[in-house]
Amino acid sequence: MGSTITLTVARQYADAMAAKDFAAVAGLFADDIVWHQPGNHRFSGTYRGRDAVNEAIGAQMAATEGTLDIAITGEPMINDALAAFPVHFSAKRNGAEMSMDGVDVLRVEDGKIAEVWLFSAIQQDEDAFWDAD
């Protein structure tokens, strides 16, 4: 049963991300969501709570003037309350460009996304992109 709910929420997340409908994405978050942004750049760290996560996503969109694109590139892989997705993300800012693969992992609890872990294929390149002047 948990796997069915996880798959449903995972597909809703994938559809909302593909549409860049961040209001719909935020609507899937638990109030006390924990978001793990990898790396060693200005957006790296652990964000706690829906407001903090929404602010971080909004700051990334602002920094890239809306060019941040996250595409789910395969079907969600489900293991009970966890969903993993292959993703491709790209963005432009201040003359710098980033385009790489990664993995998003979601933990679903009570029909909401309770925790997210992001993984980037080449973390050093992502760090350099976000810290480019």
Side-chain angles (χ1 to χ4, degrees):
M1 173 99 173
S3 295
T4 303
I5 294 168
T6 301
L7 180 59
T8 298
V9 172
R11 288 204 168 124
Q12 291 170 340
Y13 173 84
D15 291 346
M17 290 298 266
K20 287 190 176 184
D21 185 349
F22 295 108
V25 172
L28 297 170
F29 294 160
D31 290 340
D32 59 351
I33 185 173
V34 179
W35 184 280
H36 304 277
Q37 184 76 40
N40 186 23
H41 56 80
R42 63 176 153 163
F43 296 115
S44 297
T46 300
Y47 297 88
R48 296 180 187 282
R50 184 182 302 168
D51 290 345
V53 172
N54 287 335
E55 284 179 27
I57 293 171
Q60 290 177 358
M61 290 303 290
T64 63
E65 298 178 342
T67 64
L68 178 61
D69 183 52
I70 304 161
I72 309 296
T73 58
E75 284 296 309
M77 297 164 273
I78 307 299
N79 183 340
D80 194 29
L82 299 177
F85 300 89
V87 300
H88 184 83
F89 56 98
S90 60
K92 297 177 183 177
R93 64 175 296 278
N94 294 339
E97 293 186 33
M98 169 180 62
S99 179
M100 74 178 68
D101 294 324
V103 174
D104 288 4
V105 177
L106 316 176
R107 182 175 59 81
V108 176
E109 185 176 295
D110 297 326
K112 294 287 188 180
I113 299 171
E115 197 159 8
V116 176
W117 295 266
L118 306 177
F119 298 86
S120 302
I122 308 169
Q123 188 61 59
Q124 303 90 315
D125 289 356
E126 183 182 1
D127 292 346
F129 171 79
W130 287 119
D131 287 340
D133 289 329

PDB file of all heavy atoms in Angstrom, residues 31-64:
ATOM      1  N   ASP A  31       4.733  19.940   5.757  1.00  0.00           N
ATOM      2  CA  ASP A  31       5.087  21.204   6.418  1.00  0.00           C
ATOM      3  C   ASP A  31       6.514  21.180   6.942  1.00  0.00           C
ATOM      4  O   ASP A  31       7.209  22.193   6.919  1.00  0.00           O
ATOM      5  CB  ASP A  31       4.133  21.498   7.575  1.00  0.00           C
ATOM      6  CG  ASP A  31       2.729  21.849   7.102  1.00  0.00           C
ATOM      7  OD1 ASP A  31       2.556  22.238   5.924  1.00  0.00           O
ATOM      8  OD2 ASP A  31       1.803  21.726   7.921  1.00  0.00           O
ATOM      9  N   ASP A  32       6.964  20.016   7.429  1.00  0.00           N
ATOM     10  CA  ASP A  32       8.288  19.904   8.035  1.00  0.00           C
ATOM     11  C   ASP A  32       9.289  19.179   7.126  1.00  0.00           C
ATOM     12  O   ASP A  32      10.216  18.533   7.592  1.00  0.00           O
ATOM     13  CB  ASP A  32       8.198  19.201   9.384  1.00  0.00           C
ATOM     14  CG  ASP A  32       7.598  17.804   9.288  1.00  0.00           C
ATOM     15  OD1 ASP A  32       7.083  17.425   8.204  1.00  0.00           O
ATOM     16  OD2 ASP A  32       7.648  17.074  10.294  1.00  0.00           O
ATOM     17  N   ILE A  33       9.126  19.355   5.814  1.00  0.00           N
ATOM     18  CA  ILE A  33      10.025  18.721   4.842  1.00  0.00           C
ATOM     19  C   ILE A  33      11.484  19.038   5.164  1.00  0.00           C
ATOM     20  O   ILE A  33      11.799  20.121   5.681  1.00  0.00           O
ATOM     21  CB  ILE A  33       9.679  19.181   3.403  1.00  0.00           C
ATOM     22  CG1 ILE A  33      10.536  18.420   2.372  1.00  0.00           C
ATOM     23  CG2 ILE A  33       9.801  20.682   3.255  1.00  0.00           C
ATOM     24  CD1 ILE A  33      10.149  18.675   0.935  1.00  0.00           C
ATOM     25  N   VAL A  34      12.353  18.084   4.850  1.00  0.00           N
ATOM     26  CA  VAL A  34      13.804  18.274   4.966  1.00  0.00           C
ATOM     27  C   VAL A  34      14.377  18.077   3.569  1.00  0.00           C
ATOM     28  O   VAL A  34      14.130  17.061   2.923  1.00  0.00           O
ATOM     29  CB  VAL A  34      14.428  17.270   5.961  1.00  0.00           C
ATOM     30  CG1 VAL A  34      15.934  17.478   6.043  1.00  0.00           C
ATOM     31  CG2 VAL A  34      13.787  17.409   7.334  1.00  0.00           C
ATOM     32  N   TRP A  35      15.136  19.060   3.088  1.00  0.00           N
ATOM     33  CA  TRP A  35      15.673  19.078   1.725  1.00  0.00           C
ATOM     34  C   TRP A  35      17.192  19.117   1.820  1.00  0.00           C
ATOM     35  O   TRP A  35      17.751  20.035   2.406  1.00  0.00           O
ATOM     36  CB  TRP A  35      15.149  20.319   1.006  1.00  0.00           C
ATOM     37  CG  TRP A  35      15.509  20.482  -0.423  1.00  0.00           C
ATOM     38  CD1 TRP A  35      16.692  20.941  -0.931  1.00  0.00           C
ATOM     39  CD2 TRP A  35      14.662  20.222  -1.542  1.00  0.00           C
ATOM     40  NE1 TRP A  35      16.630  20.989  -2.301  1.00  0.00           N
ATOM     41  CE2 TRP A  35      15.390  20.549  -2.702  1.00  0.00           C
ATOM     42  CE3 TRP A  35      13.367  19.744  -1.668  1.00  0.00           C
ATOM     43  CZ2 TRP A  35      14.854  20.416  -3.981  1.00  0.00           C
ATOM     44  CZ3 TRP A  35      12.833  19.612  -2.936  1.00  0.00           C
ATOM     45  CH2 TRP A  35      13.571  19.945  -4.072  1.00  0.00           C
ATOM     46  N   HIS A  36      17.858  18.122   1.237  1.00  0.00           N
ATOM     47  CA  HIS A  36      19.318  18.025   1.279  1.00  0.00           C
ATOM     48  C   HIS A  36      19.892  18.436  -0.076  1.00  0.00           C
ATOM     49  O   HIS A  36      19.803  17.690  -1.044  1.00  0.00           O
ATOM     50  CB  HIS A  36      19.748  16.594   1.614  1.00  0.00           C
ATOM     51  CG  HIS A  36      19.155  16.072   2.889  1.00  0.00           C
ATOM     52  ND1 HIS A  36      19.705  16.344   4.124  1.00  0.00           N
ATOM     53  CD2 HIS A  36      18.046  15.318   3.128  1.00  0.00           C
ATOM     54  CE1 HIS A  36      18.968  15.760   5.059  1.00  0.00           C
ATOM     55  NE2 HIS A  36      17.960  15.141   4.480  1.00  0.00           N
ATOM     56  N   GLN A  37      20.473  19.634  -0.131  1.00  0.00           N
ATOM     57  CA  GLN A  37      21.086  20.161  -1.354  1.00  0.00           C
ATOM     58  C   GLN A  37      22.588  19.885  -1.265  1.00  0.00           C
ATOM     59  O   GLN A  37      23.250  20.382  -0.363  1.00  0.00           O
ATOM     60  CB  GLN A  37      20.828  21.667  -1.457  1.00  0.00           C
ATOM     61  CG  GLN A  37      21.327  22.298  -2.727  1.00  0.00           C
ATOM     62  CD  GLN A  37      20.444  22.005  -3.913  1.00  0.00           C
ATOM     63  OE1 GLN A  37      19.226  21.997  -3.804  1.00  0.00           O
ATOM     64  NE2 GLN A  37      21.043  21.757  -5.059  1.00  0.00           N
ATOM     65  N   PRO A  38      23.131  19.071  -2.191  1.00  0.00           N
ATOM     66  CA  PRO A  38      24.526  18.644  -2.063  1.00  0.00           C
ATOM     67  C   PRO A  38      25.521  19.731  -2.456  1.00  0.00           C
ATOM     68  O   PRO A  38      25.146  20.777  -2.988  1.00  0.00           O
ATOM     69  CB  PRO A  38      24.597  17.479  -3.055  1.00  0.00           C
ATOM     70  CG  PRO A  38      23.657  17.875  -4.151  1.00  0.00           C
ATOM     71  CD  PRO A  38      22.511  18.557  -3.419  1.00  0.00           C
ATOM     72  N   GLY A  39      26.761  19.439  -2.211  1.00  0.00           N
ATOM     73  CA  GLY A  39      27.839  20.264  -2.721  1.00  0.00           C
ATOM     74  C   GLY A  39      28.420  21.239  -1.723  1.00  0.00           C
ATOM     75  O   GLY A  39      28.171  21.183  -0.521  1.00  0.00           O
ATOM     76  N   ASN A  40      29.193  22.155  -2.298  1.00  0.00           N
ATOM     77  CA  ASN A  40      29.874  23.182  -1.523  1.00  0.00           C
ATOM     78  C   ASN A  40      29.721  24.497  -2.291  1.00  0.00           C
ATOM     79  O   ASN A  40      30.668  25.012  -2.863  1.00  0.00           O
ATOM     80  CB  ASN A  40      31.349  22.791  -1.355  1.00  0.00           C
ATOM     81  CG  ASN A  40      32.075  23.754  -0.440  1.00  0.00           C
ATOM     82  OD1 ASN A  40      31.460  24.432   0.370  1.00  0.00           O
ATOM     83  ND2 ASN A  40      33.381  23.834  -0.589  1.00  0.00           N
ATOM     84  N   HIS A  41      28.492  24.991  -2.329  1.00  0.00           N
ATOM     85  CA  HIS A  41      28.199  26.246  -3.019  1.00  0.00           C
ATOM     86  C   HIS A  41      27.157  27.002  -2.212  1.00  0.00           C
ATOM     87  O   HIS A  41      26.702  26.536  -1.168  1.00  0.00           O
ATOM     88  CB  HIS A  41      27.733  26.003  -4.464  1.00  0.00           C
ATOM     89  CG  HIS A  41      26.545  25.099  -4.588  1.00  0.00           C
ATOM     90  ND1 HIS A  41      25.252  25.530  -4.371  1.00  0.00           N
ATOM     91  CD2 HIS A  41      26.444  23.773  -4.893  1.00  0.00           C
ATOM     92  CE1 HIS A  41      24.419  24.527  -4.557  1.00  0.00           C
ATOM     93  NE2 HIS A  41      25.109  23.445  -4.868  1.00  0.00           N
ATOM     94  N   ARG A  42      26.769  28.168  -2.674  1.00  0.00           N
ATOM     95  CA  ARG A  42      25.911  29.040  -1.869  1.00  0.00           C
ATOM     96  C   ARG A  42      24.537  28.481  -1.558  1.00  0.00           C
ATOM     97  O   ARG A  42      23.888  28.930  -0.617  1.00  0.00           O
ATOM     98  CB  ARG A  42      25.788  30.403  -2.514  1.00  0.00           C
ATOM     99  CG  ARG A  42      25.134  30.374  -3.866  1.00  0.00           C
ATOM    100  CD  ARG A  42      25.007  31.791  -4.331  1.00  0.00           C
ATOM    101  NE  ARG A  42      24.989  31.882  -5.765  1.00  0.00           N
ATOM    102  CZ  ARG A  42      24.562  32.935  -6.394  1.00  0.00           C
ATOM    103  NH1 ARG A  42      24.137  33.969  -5.710  1.00  0.00           N
ATOM    104  NH2 ARG A  42      24.581  32.975  -7.692  1.00  0.00           N
ATOM    105  N   PHE A  43      24.065  27.492  -2.328  1.00  0.00           N
ATOM    106  CA  PHE A  43      22.767  26.895  -2.053  1.00  0.00           C
ATOM    107  C   PHE A  43      22.875  25.539  -1.353  1.00  0.00           C
ATOM    108  O   PHE A  43      21.860  24.924  -1.041  1.00  0.00           O
ATOM    109  CB  PHE A  43      21.952  26.746  -3.338  1.00  0.00           C
ATOM    110  CG  PHE A  43      21.609  28.066  -3.973  1.00  0.00           C
ATOM    111  CD1 PHE A  43      22.120  28.410  -5.208  1.00  0.00           C
ATOM    112  CD2 PHE A  43      20.774  28.969  -3.324  1.00  0.00           C
ATOM    113  CE1 PHE A  43      21.810  29.627  -5.796  1.00  0.00           C
ATOM    114  CE2 PHE A  43      20.457  30.190  -3.895  1.00  0.00           C
ATOM    115  CZ  PHE A  43      20.977  30.528  -5.136  1.00  0.00           C
ATOM    116  N   SER A  44      24.087  25.058  -1.120  1.00  0.00           N
ATOM    117  CA  SER A  44      24.280  23.762  -0.459  1.00  0.00           C
ATOM    118  C   SER A  44      23.789  23.811   0.975  1.00  0.00           C
ATOM    119  O   SER A  44      23.811  24.861   1.616  1.00  0.00           O
ATOM    120  CB  SER A  44      25.763  23.383  -0.446  1.00  0.00           C
ATOM    121  OG  SER A  44      26.248  23.218  -1.752  1.00  0.00           O
ATOM    122  N   GLY A  45      23.362  22.663   1.445  1.00  0.00           N
ATOM    123  CA  GLY A  45      22.973  22.577   2.844  1.00  0.00           C
ATOM    124  C   GLY A  45      21.662  21.845   3.018  1.00  0.00           C
ATOM    125  O   GLY A  45      21.082  21.317   2.065  1.00  0.00           O
ATOM    126  N   THR A  46      21.205  21.813   4.245  1.00  0.00           N
ATOM    127  CA  THR A  46      19.949  21.168   4.591  1.00  0.00           C
ATOM    128  C   THR A  46      18.934  22.242   4.937  1.00  0.00           C
ATOM    129  O   THR A  46      19.189  23.097   5.789  1.00  0.00           O
ATOM    130  CB  THR A  46      20.139  20.205   5.776  1.00  0.00           C
ATOM    131  OG1 THR A  46      21.096  19.205   5.399  1.00  0.00           O
ATOM    132  CG2 THR A  46      18.831  19.534   6.153  1.00  0.00           C
ATOM    133  N   TYR A  47      17.816  22.207   4.242  1.00  0.00           N
ATOM    134  CA  TYR A  47      16.729  23.159   4.462  1.00  0.00           C
ATOM    135  C   TYR A  47      15.605  22.431   5.182  1.00  0.00           C
ATOM    136  O   TYR A  47      15.245  21.319   4.796  1.00  0.00           O
ATOM    137  CB  TYR A  47      16.222  23.719   3.127  1.00  0.00           C
ATOM    138  CG  TYR A  47      17.285  24.496   2.385  1.00  0.00           C
ATOM    139  CD1 TYR A  47      18.161  23.854   1.514  1.00  0.00           C
ATOM    140  CD2 TYR A  47      17.429  25.859   2.579  1.00  0.00           C
ATOM    141  CE1 TYR A  47      19.146  24.560   0.843  1.00  0.00           C
ATOM    142  CE2 TYR A  47      18.418  26.572   1.911  1.00  0.00           C
ATOM    143  CZ  TYR A  47      19.269  25.921   1.047  1.00  0.00           C
ATOM    144  OH  TYR A  47      20.248  26.615   0.391  1.00  0.00           O
ATOM    145  N   ARG A  48      15.053  23.052   6.193  1.00  0.00           N
ATOM    146  CA  ARG A  48      14.002  22.421   6.998  1.00  0.00           C
ATOM    147  C   ARG A  48      12.742  23.284   6.974  1.00  0.00           C
ATOM    148  O   ARG A  48      12.801  24.469   7.287  1.00  0.00           O
ATOM    149  CB  ARG A  48      14.473  22.241   8.434  1.00  0.00           C
ATOM    150  CG  ARG A  48      15.645  21.290   8.536  1.00  0.00           C
ATOM    151  CD  ARG A  48      16.129  21.090   9.967  1.00  0.00           C
ATOM    152  NE  ARG A  48      17.344  20.310   9.988  1.00  0.00           N
ATOM    153  CZ  ARG A  48      17.416  18.996   9.843  1.00  0.00           C
ATOM    154  NH1 ARG A  48      16.309  18.298   9.667  1.00  0.00           N
ATOM    155  NH2 ARG A  48      18.574  18.370   9.863  1.00  0.00           N
ATOM    156  N   GLY A  49      11.648  22.666   6.584  1.00  0.00           N
ATOM    157  CA  GLY A  49      10.366  23.350   6.528  1.00  0.00           C
ATOM    158  C   GLY A  49      10.033  23.825   5.131  1.00  0.00           C
ATOM    159  O   GLY A  49      10.919  24.160   4.346  1.00  0.00           O
ATOM    160  N   ARG A  50       8.738  23.814   4.837  1.00  0.00           N
ATOM    161  CA  ARG A  50       8.255  24.175   3.499  1.00  0.00           C
ATOM    162  C   ARG A  50       8.716  25.565   3.080  1.00  0.00           C
ATOM    163  O   ARG A  50       9.157  25.769   1.949  1.00  0.00           O
ATOM    164  CB  ARG A  50       6.731  24.084   3.465  1.00  0.00           C
ATOM    165  CG  ARG A  50       6.176  24.344   2.084  1.00  0.00           C
ATOM    166  CD  ARG A  50       4.676  24.311   2.048  1.00  0.00           C
ATOM    167  NE  ARG A  50       4.193  23.022   2.515  1.00  0.00           N
ATOM    168  CZ  ARG A  50       2.939  22.778   2.811  1.00  0.00           C
ATOM    169  NH1 ARG A  50       2.035  23.714   2.704  1.00  0.00           N
ATOM    170  NH2 ARG A  50       2.571  21.584   3.221  1.00  0.00           N
ATOM    171  N   ASP A  51       8.648  26.548   3.985  1.00  0.00           N
ATOM    172  CA  ASP A  51       9.036  27.911   3.626  1.00  0.00           C
ATOM    173  C   ASP A  51      10.510  27.992   3.237  1.00  0.00           C
ATOM    174  O   ASP A  51      10.863  28.634   2.248  1.00  0.00           O
ATOM    175  CB  ASP A  51       8.741  28.880   4.768  1.00  0.00           C
ATOM    176  CG  ASP A  51       7.251  29.103   4.982  1.00  0.00           C
ATOM    177  OD1 ASP A  51       6.442  28.755   4.087  1.00  0.00           O
ATOM    178  OD2 ASP A  51       6.889  29.613   6.060  1.00  0.00           O
ATOM    179  N   ALA A  52      11.373  27.352   4.002  1.00  0.00           N
ATOM    180  CA  ALA A  52      12.812  27.381   3.710  1.00  0.00           C
ATOM    181  C   ALA A  52      13.117  26.715   2.371  1.00  0.00           C
ATOM    182  O   ALA A  52      13.932  27.214   1.591  1.00  0.00           O
ATOM    183  CB  ALA A  52      13.590  26.703   4.834  1.00  0.00           C
ATOM    184  N   VAL A  53      12.461  25.593   2.085  1.00  0.00           N
ATOM    185  CA  VAL A  53      12.678  24.901   0.817  1.00  0.00           C
ATOM    186  C   VAL A  53      12.179  25.755  -0.342  1.00  0.00           C
ATOM    187  O   VAL A  53      12.869  25.917  -1.356  1.00  0.00           O
ATOM    188  CB  VAL A  53      12.012  23.509   0.823  1.00  0.00           C
ATOM    189  CG1 VAL A  53      12.068  22.865  -0.554  1.00  0.00           C
ATOM    190  CG2 VAL A  53      12.672  22.614   1.861  1.00  0.00           C
ATOM    191  N   ASN A  54      11.003  26.334  -0.197  1.00  0.00           N
ATOM    192  CA  ASN A  54      10.467  27.179  -1.266  1.00  0.00           C
ATOM    193  C   ASN A  54      11.358  28.389  -1.511  1.00  0.00           C
ATOM    194  O   ASN A  54      11.562  28.786  -2.662  1.00  0.00           O
ATOM    195  CB  ASN A  54       9.040  27.622  -0.930  1.00  0.00           C
ATOM    196  CG  ASN A  54       8.054  26.494  -1.060  1.00  0.00           C
ATOM    197  OD1 ASN A  54       8.268  25.530  -1.792  1.00  0.00           O
ATOM    198  ND2 ASN A  54       6.953  26.593  -0.337  1.00  0.00           N
ATOM    199  N   GLU A  55      11.900  28.971  -0.450  1.00  0.00           N
ATOM    200  CA  GLU A  55      12.822  30.106  -0.602  1.00  0.00           C
ATOM    201  C   GLU A  55      14.081  29.685  -1.356  1.00  0.00           C
ATOM    202  O   GLU A  55      14.562  30.415  -2.225  1.00  0.00           O
ATOM    203  CB  GLU A  55      13.196  30.678   0.759  1.00  0.00           C
ATOM    204  CG  GLU A  55      12.119  31.518   1.383  1.00  0.00           C
ATOM    205  CD  GLU A  55      12.518  32.049   2.753  1.00  0.00           C
ATOM    206  OE1 GLU A  55      13.735  32.215   3.023  1.00  0.00           O
ATOM    207  OE2 GLU A  55      11.607  32.288   3.567  1.00  0.00           O
ATOM    208  N   ALA A  56      14.619  28.513  -1.047  1.00  0.00           N
ATOM    209  CA  ALA A  56      15.832  28.037  -1.726  1.00  0.00           C
ATOM    210  C   ALA A  56      15.571  27.799  -3.205  1.00  0.00           C
ATOM    211  O   ALA A  56      16.371  28.198  -4.064  1.00  0.00           O
ATOM    212  CB  ALA A  56      16.340  26.760  -1.056  1.00  0.00           C
ATOM    213  N   ILE A  57      14.462  27.158  -3.519  1.00  0.00           N
ATOM    214  CA  ILE A  57      14.122  26.921  -4.929  1.00  0.00           C
ATOM    215  C   ILE A  57      13.897  28.253  -5.640  1.00  0.00           C
ATOM    216  O   ILE A  57      14.377  28.467  -6.756  1.00  0.00           O
ATOM    217  CB  ILE A  57      12.888  25.998  -5.045  1.00  0.00           C
ATOM    218  CG1 ILE A  57      13.229  24.599  -4.534  1.00  0.00           C
ATOM    219  CG2 ILE A  57      12.400  25.938  -6.494  1.00  0.00           C
ATOM    220  CD1 ILE A  57      12.037  23.673  -4.390  1.00  0.00           C
ATOM    221  N   GLY A  58      13.196  29.157  -4.992  1.00  0.00           N
ATOM    222  CA  GLY A  58      12.964  30.475  -5.579  1.00  0.00           C
ATOM    223  C   GLY A  58      14.256  31.234  -5.819  1.00  0.00           C
ATOM    224  O   GLY A  58      14.413  31.902  -6.852  1.00  0.00           O
ATOM    225  N   ALA A  59      15.200  31.125  -4.892  1.00  0.00           N
ATOM    226  CA  ALA A  59      16.493  31.801  -5.052  1.00  0.00           C
ATOM    227  C   ALA A  59      17.272  31.220  -6.232  1.00  0.00           C
ATOM    228  O   ALA A  59      17.929  31.956  -6.973  1.00  0.00           O
ATOM    229  CB  ALA A  59      17.301  31.694  -3.762  1.00  0.00           C
ATOM    230  N   GLN A  60      17.187  29.909  -6.422  1.00  0.00           N
ATOM    231  CA  GLN A  60      17.859  29.294  -7.571  1.00  0.00           C
ATOM    232  C   GLN A  60      17.213  29.742  -8.877  1.00  0.00           C
ATOM    233  O   GLN A  60      17.902  30.026  -9.857  1.00  0.00           O
ATOM    234  CB  GLN A  60      17.842  27.775  -7.452  1.00  0.00           C
ATOM    235  CG  GLN A  60      18.739  27.263  -6.352  1.00  0.00           C
ATOM    236  CD  GLN A  60      18.669  25.757  -6.177  1.00  0.00           C
ATOM    237  OE1 GLN A  60      17.928  25.055  -6.852  1.00  0.00           O
ATOM    238  NE2 GLN A  60      19.448  25.252  -5.245  1.00  0.00           N
ATOM    239  N   MET A  61      15.887  29.817  -8.898  1.00  0.00           N
ATOM    240  CA  MET A  61      15.205  30.292 -10.104  1.00  0.00           C
ATOM    241  C   MET A  61      15.574  31.747 -10.389  1.00  0.00           C
ATOM    242  O   MET A  61      15.817  32.117 -11.530  1.00  0.00           O
ATOM    243  CB  MET A  61      13.688  30.129  -9.952  1.00  0.00           C
ATOM    244  CG  MET A  61      13.215  28.688  -9.975  1.00  0.00           C
ATOM    245  SD  MET A  61      13.679  27.769 -11.465  1.00  0.00           S
ATOM    246  CE  MET A  61      12.629  28.571 -12.678  1.00  0.00           C
ATOM    247  N   ALA A  62      15.632  32.572  -9.346  1.00  0.00           N
ATOM    248  CA  ALA A  62      15.994  33.977  -9.528  1.00  0.00           C
ATOM    249  C   ALA A  62      17.426  34.115 -10.033  1.00  0.00           C
ATOM    250  O   ALA A  62      17.697  34.895 -10.951  1.00  0.00           O
ATOM    251  CB  ALA A  62      15.803  34.745  -8.224  1.00  0.00           C
ATOM    252  N   ALA A  63      18.342  33.344  -9.447  1.00  0.00           N
ATOM    253  CA  ALA A  63      19.756  33.425  -9.843  1.00  0.00           C
ATOM    254  C   ALA A  63      19.958  33.013 -11.299  1.00  0.00           C
ATOM    255  O   ALA A  63      20.886  33.483 -11.952  1.00  0.00           O
ATOM    256  CB  ALA A  63      20.610  32.554  -8.930  1.00  0.00           C
ATOM    257  N   THR A  64      19.088  32.150 -11.794  1.00  0.00           N
ATOM    258  CA  THR A  64      19.217  31.672 -13.181  1.00  0.00           C
ATOM    259  C   THR A  64      18.223  32.361 -14.116  1.00  0.00           C
ATOM    260  O   THR A  64      18.072  31.960 -15.262  1.00  0.00           O
ATOM    261  CB  THR A  64      19.001  30.146 -13.268  1.00  0.00           C
ATOM    262  OG1 THR A  64      17.656  29.836 -12.853  1.00  0.00           O
ATOM    263  CG2 THR A  64      20.008  29.403 -12.416  1.00  0.00           C
TER     264      THR A  64
END
